[in-house]
Amino acid sequence: MPHAPCLFPDRCRHRAGAAAAGRPGAAAGRPRTGPAGRAAGKALQGRRREAARPLADATFEAFRKQLGEAAQKKDRTALAKLVVANGFFWEGEKGDRADKKKSGIDNLVAALGLAKKDGDGWDMLGGYSADPTAMPMGEKKDILCAPADPAFDEKELEDVAKATQTDPGDWGYPVGDGIEVRSGPQANTPVSEKLGLHFVRVMPDSPAPAPNQVPMLKIVTPSGKTGFVTADAIAPLGNDQLCYVKDAGGWKITGFIGGE
């Protein structure tokens, strides 16, 4: 049965990549909306999760700073020094999309769309550089990928998703404690409540952003009510990830998980 569509534009990792990295697979059934969706929200939102912890490595922090500066300046030459020369992997939906005949920087540019004048690849790269978390890539303990998923009971999430006939891709988690939920789809509407560190159900009818408006997601809160949060306040399980390796020369970007 096909998976439910991703409700987080440009942020959901393909299912193959998620499985390879040890993520829970999608449950069977169609995602529910309306009263059934709200009931599912209350069921799963009771499952608390722990925020991903920053990687305790001063050299990684220094590397991220260099990466952030290269992204801000859109400096390909500086970025190339932070990418492996050979062996770069790009784990897309249809397998490794990296061109082994090309350099690591060329593959990274293709993976993130850094050459597109109207793309957001450099902003994405800047976002990765700002994330202090990282997690091992499955059994490849020498490769760390970021952002890291939060700690949670994977079987419990799968069981609840199956019982409620929803897909894990319909759920997300607040990036921090105390995220403000608003009563309307505009960023300046009144705050109706705040989120704790619980999974939340993201509804498929989230509003399309108006020009110059912050994108908003429609969610079901633990109280069973619907509300709206900024799109960057909720992250999906199975984010696209940038992957790193540390060798004698320091940290380097060695791969990307995401894309088709």
Side-chain angles (χ1 to χ4, degrees):
M1 184 171 291
H3 299 298
C6 176
L7 302 178
F8 303 80
D10 302 322
R11 298 182 68 189
C12 293
R13 190 181 318 139
H14 57 84
R15 307 303 186 191
R23 307 296 191 280
R30 296 186 63 179
R32 294 181 175 181
T33 58
R38 289 191 287 275
K42 296 178 94 172
L44 190 52
Q45 285 159 350
R47 275 57 183 177
R48 191 169 178 84
R49 55 91 185 174
E50 295 181 9
R53 297 180 180 180
L55 180 65
D57 187 325
T59 62
F60 185 62
E61 184 175 350
F63 165 77
R64 290 191 299 104
K65 183 178 179 180
Q66 289 181 289
L67 181 59
E69 291 173 349
Q72 184 178 20
K73 297 176 181 178
K74 298 183 179 181
D75 189 337
R76 174 173 169 147
T77 301
L79 179 60
K81 298 177 182 178
L82 306 177
V83 185
V84 293
N86 302 297
F88 184 95
F89 66 86
W90 175 6
E91 192 175 288
E93 187 174 353
K94 299 179 181 179
D96 191 353
R97 296 188 57 192
D99 187 337
K100 303 306 180 183
K101 296 180 181 179
K102 294 185 177 181
S103 64
I105 182 61
D106 285 338
N107 277 296
L108 179 62
V109 167
L112 297 184
L114 299 181
K116 298 179 180 179
K117 294 183 179 180
D118 57 348
D120 59 357
W122 288 103
D123 290 336
M124 289 172 55
L125 191 63
Y128 287 124
S129 72
D131 195 306
T133 68
M135 62 189 294
M137 182 183 173
E139 296 181 355
K140 299 178 181 179
K141 303 300 182 182
D142 59 325
I143 296 178
L144 299 180
C145 299
D149 282 341
F152 67 99
D153 189 321
E154 293 185 5
K155 185 178 186 305
E156 190 175 58
L157 185 150
E158 287 183 311
D159 289 345
V160 174
K162 183 177 181 180
T164 56
Q165 295 186 13
T166 56
D167 188 292
D170 301 330
W171 304 90
Y173 58 90
V175 296
D177 200 0
I179 296 295
E180 295 180 337
V181 180
R182 299 187 179 274
S183 57
Q186 290 79 36
N188 60 352
T189 50
V191 175
S192 56
E193 57 185 295
K194 294 184 178 182
L195 298 176
L197 298 179
H198 299 82
F199 285 102
V200 295
R201 169 79 159 91
V202 179
M203 303 303 286
D205 54 344
S206 292
N212 301 318
Q213 179 181 320
V214 177
M216 304 290 282
L217 292 177
K218 184 179 181 180
I219 66 168
V220 181
T221 69
S223 65
K225 299 178 181 179
T226 57
F228 299 85
V229 296
T230 56
D232 59 359
I234 304 294
L237 288 170
N239 259 317
D240 288 352
Q241 290 180 310
L242 199 62
C243 298
Y244 313 99
V245 66
K246 187 177 184 180
D247 57 21
W251 289 96
K252 293 284 178 28
I253 299 172
T254 190
F256 178 68
I257 301 176
E260 297 179 356

